[in-house]
Structure formats: C-alpha cells, structure tokens
Amino acid sequence: SGVYIMTKVFFLLAFALFMVFIGPIATIWSLNTLFPSLAIPITFDTWAAALILGSLVSGQGLSFKAK
C-alpha cells in the first residue's frame, strides 16, 4: 500500500542522511584509533575533508570501461 511505500522511502532516506553525517566521523575515529600519533580532532573542517575524500576515493559513478 501507499503508506508502506512512503514509510520505507522515509526510513531509507533517513538512513542515508545518517550515514552521510556519521561516516566521516567514523573514519576519523578509526584513523585515530589505528594511528594514535595522528590525533586528528573531530571538527567541522576535518568532517568535511573526510566527506570529500571519501566521495573521491569511493569512485561512485565513475566508469573506466572501454566500449
């Protein structure tokens, strides 16, 4: 039914937004845990840098296949 579909879409969007905000923080935390000498502070600047770096490294939407 329509209510089920709307609920499912809402939760998928909420999960995607949650991952966009938590993903960079988890990356910074994991780097600080693995390499304590880095001591990267969790600030807006480092969060944004991790978000940008993650989007560049992931390669989503890029295709290098020859046709």
Side-chain angles (χ1 to χ4, degrees), residues 51-65:
L51 181 68
I52 292 168
L53 182 63
S55 65
L56 291 174
V57 172
S58 71
Q60 294 288 333
L62 295 178
S63 177
F64 296 106
K65 295 179 182 177

Side-chain angles (χ1 to χ4, degrees), residues 21-43:
F21 288 112
I22 297 301
I25 293 173
T27 302
I28 295 167
W29 169 80
S30 65
L31 286 171
N32 282 334
T33 302
L34 290 171
F35 308 106
S37 63
L38 290 176
I40 302 170
I42 297 177
T43 63

Side-chain angles (χ1 to χ4, degrees), residues 2-30:
V3 174
Y4 174 74
I5 293 171
M6 290 298 291
T7 303
K8 190 173 180 179
V9 167
F10 171 76
F11 280 113
L12 286 174
L13 286 174
F15 180 73
L17 284 173
F18 177 76
M19 291 308 293
V20 165
F21 288 112
I22 297 301
I25 293 173
T27 302
I28 295 167
W29 169 80
S30 65

